[in-house]
């Protein structure tokens, strides 16, 4: 018995079943509707191949019959144009690309691409997606997830730049694999990835700034050991890793200074009166070789030990999701510049270059200068 699936009303009257209800589109091409017990039904395409075998294709969910027919026709037309009728996942497309590199580019290129795909594609959600159904949002989510992880670990602008630069290279490898699948007629269109762009400026990003009320809320939400580390970052603008490596012997209470070792080498930073008192209290009665800052278990801090507690504290303080550990350094440097400190001095204190300070915080210096100019009556 034939059943109509052309209208929503007719489909609603159908009995749920595993076998689709079929409708002929043209000779050799049919579209089927599978009625579900609950929720939206799904559409299936069916055609006869050159060997006389029936080939099926899951088309997905559509709100109306015409949209489903369009999808079935696109599938059939792609096969007529030589595109493979077999569903290909993103993972399989990447594996196809790796084999291509081994044949045409050599083992170095092959190993580089395969390493990226093993880390980021094969076991990931995107790897399981049918290439014909890959959406731009899928690729953007995949790309963004890489940066979110690296942002949480970042200690300064250079870490963030490298993270975005690395993500750009990963995107280039993925798009190369998908474009090869398109050239080899394994998929009909590149609409799912063509418009996804790499990060344009890998040396600059918008970082969360914490105003005074948010800083106080964060400090209050931190457990005692993390609270000291957070305060140390806000009082110095130093990287968390530099502070974690500092020992009691590196605090000079007489001079009001702190010695730090980081990615830019050794430096001695001047502490404010508040910071000097803070560090003096931290090192009181401690041995010279012990860490200035440590976890509740007496261990030296590292990114693995501060990441989760910081995230929990930030959430408890109702801070924006963009707030990560690096936001404290960014906030401290922003406040120094906004309060009129010379960029050369700030760069020395923070262990960075004046060029980096001017690039990321120059707008704050301009605002301060503008305020001073506005106070001058020229005319």
């Amino acid at each position: 018995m034939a059943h109509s699936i052309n209208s929503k009303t007719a489909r609603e009257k159908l009995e749920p079943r595993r076998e689709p209800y079929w409708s002929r589109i043209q000779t050799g091409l049919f579209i089927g509707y599978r009625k579900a017990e609950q929720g939206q039904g799904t559409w299936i395409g069916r055609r006869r191949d050159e060997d006389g075998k029936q080939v099926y294709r899951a088309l997905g969910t559509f709100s109306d019959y015409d949209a489903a027919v369009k999808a079935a026709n696109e599938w059939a037309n792609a096969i007529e144009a030589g595109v493979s009728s077999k569903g290909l996942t993103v993972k399989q497309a990447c594996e196809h690309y790796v084999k291509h590199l081994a044949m045409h580019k050599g083992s170095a290129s092959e190993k580089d691409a395969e390493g990226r795909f093993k880390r980021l594609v094969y076991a990931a959600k995107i790897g399981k997606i049918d290439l014909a159904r890959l959406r731009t949002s899928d690729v953007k989510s995949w790309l963004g997830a890489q940066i979110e992880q690296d942002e949480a670990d970042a200690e300064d602008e250079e870490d963030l730049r490298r993270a975005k630069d690395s993500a750009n290279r990963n995107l280039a490898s993925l798009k190369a694999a998908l474009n090869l699948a398109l050239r080899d007629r394994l998929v009909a269109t590149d609409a799912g990835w063509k418009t996804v762009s790499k990060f344009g400026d890998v040396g600059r990003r918008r970082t969360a700034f914490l105003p005074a009320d948010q800083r106080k809320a964060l400090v209050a939400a931190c457990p005692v050991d993390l609270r000291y580390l957070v305060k140390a970052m806000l009082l110095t603008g130093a990287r968390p890793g530099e502070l974690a490596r500092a020992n009691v012997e590196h605090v000079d209470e007489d001079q009001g200074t702190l010695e730090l070792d980081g990615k830019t080498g050794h430096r001695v930073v001047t502490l404010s009166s508040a910071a000097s008192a803070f560090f003096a209290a931290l090192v009181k009665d401690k041995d010279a070789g012990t860490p200035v800052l440590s976890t509740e278990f007496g261990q030296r801090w590292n990114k693995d030990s501060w990441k989760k507690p910081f995230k929990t504290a930030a959430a408890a303080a109702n801070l924006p999701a963009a707030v990560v550990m690096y936001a404290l350094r960014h906030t401290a440097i922003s406040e120094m510049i906004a309060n009129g400190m010379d960029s050369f001095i700030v760069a020395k204190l923070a262990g960075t270059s004046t060029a980096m300070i001017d690039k990321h915080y120059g707008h704050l210096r301009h605002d301060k200068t503008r305020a001073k100019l506005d106070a001058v009556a020229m005319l």
Side-chain angles (χ1 to χ4, degrees), residues 18 20 22 30-34 42-46 56-60 72 75:
R18 176 66 181 172
W22 295 101
F30 293 79
I31 188 168
Y33 178 74
R34 180 176 288 134
T42 57
W43 297 87
I44 300 93
R46 187 184 82 198
Y56 297 84
R57 175 73 166 184
L59 302 173
W75 168 61

Side-chain angles (χ1 to χ4, degrees), residues 204 330 334 337 357-368 370:
R204 183 171 184 175
H330 171 73
S334 297
I337 295 294
I357 292 292
D358 288 341
K359 181 175 183 179
H360 293 273
Y361 304 93
H363 63 287
L364 298 175
R365 296 175 63 239
H366 294 320
D367 290 347
K368 197 75 176 180
R370 185 175 296 105

Side-chain angles (χ1 to χ4, degrees), residues 48-109:
R48 193 174 299 278
D49 65 14
E50 296 177 352
D51 299 325
K53 296 180 180 180
Q54 294 285 2
V55 180
Y56 297 84
R57 175 73 166 184
L59 302 173
T61 57
F62 296 95
S63 58
D64 62 79
Y65 177 78
D66 289 341
V69 169
K70 180 181 179 182
N73 279 321
E74 288 177 349
W75 168 61
N77 291 338
I79 294 175
E80 291 295 333
V83 176
S84 172
S85 61
K86 298 180 180 179
L88 189 77
T89 64
V90 173
K91 177 178 182 289
Q92 290 170 325
C94 290
E95 291 172 336
H96 175 70
Y97 177 65
V98 169
K99 291 178 181 177
H100 169 83
L101 290 178
M103 293 175 61
H104 300 281
K105 297 292 184 180
S107 60
S109 296

Side-chain angles (χ1 to χ4, degrees), residues 85-248:
S85 61
K86 298 180 180 179
L88 189 77
T89 64
V90 173
K91 177 178 182 289
Q92 290 170 325
C94 290
E95 291 172 336
H96 175 70
Y97 177 65
V98 169
K99 291 178 181 177
H100 169 83
L101 290 178
M103 293 175 61
H104 300 281
K105 297 292 184 180
S107 60
S109 296
E110 174 198 6
K111 289 180 180 178
D112 178 72
E114 187 170 34
R116 294 178 194 276
F117 298 150
K118 282 183 176 179
R119 291 195 313 272
L120 300 166
V121 176
Y122 290 168
K125 179 181 177 181
I126 194 173
K128 300 177 178 65
I129 298 175
D130 189 310
L131 193 53
R133 295 179 188 167
L134 184 65
R135 299 172 298 178
T136 300
S137 58
D138 295 324
V139 182
K140 286 184 176 180
S141 295
W142 172 81
L143 185 64
Q146 298 173 49
I147 299 303
E148 288 172 8
Q149 178 61 43
D150 287 323
E151 280 183 337
D153 295 339
E155 293 193 20
D156 62 10
E157 302 90 344
E158 181 60 18
D159 287 342
L160 295 166
R161 186 201 66 76
R162 284 199 300 266
K164 289 190 175 183
D165 188 43
S166 177
N168 282 347
R169 292 194 298 272
N170 295 333
L171 176 63
S173 292
L174 178 63
K175 292 182 77 170
L178 303 183
N179 287 333
L180 177 65
L182 180 69
R183 290 196 301 273
D184 288 350
R185 295 184 176 274
L186 300 175
V187 67
T189 176
D190 59 357
W193 66 87
K194 184 177 181 179
T195 59
V196 180
S197 302
K198 65 180 182 179
F199 294 105
D201 183 356
V202 297
R204 183 171 184 175
R205 69 183 286 274
R206 294 185 66 181
T207 306
F209 170 84
L210 302 183
D213 59 333
Q214 290 186 343
R215 299 198 290 267
K216 291 178 181 178
L218 175 62
V219 169
C222 288
V224 176
D225 55 350
L226 181 63
R227 186 179 304 159
Y228 290 146
L229 179 58
V230 167
K231 283 186 175 182
M233 287 191 67
L234 289 171
L235 287 169
T236 63
R239 301 175 181 88
E242 295 172 333
L243 291 168
R245 287 186 288 272
N247 291 334
V248 171

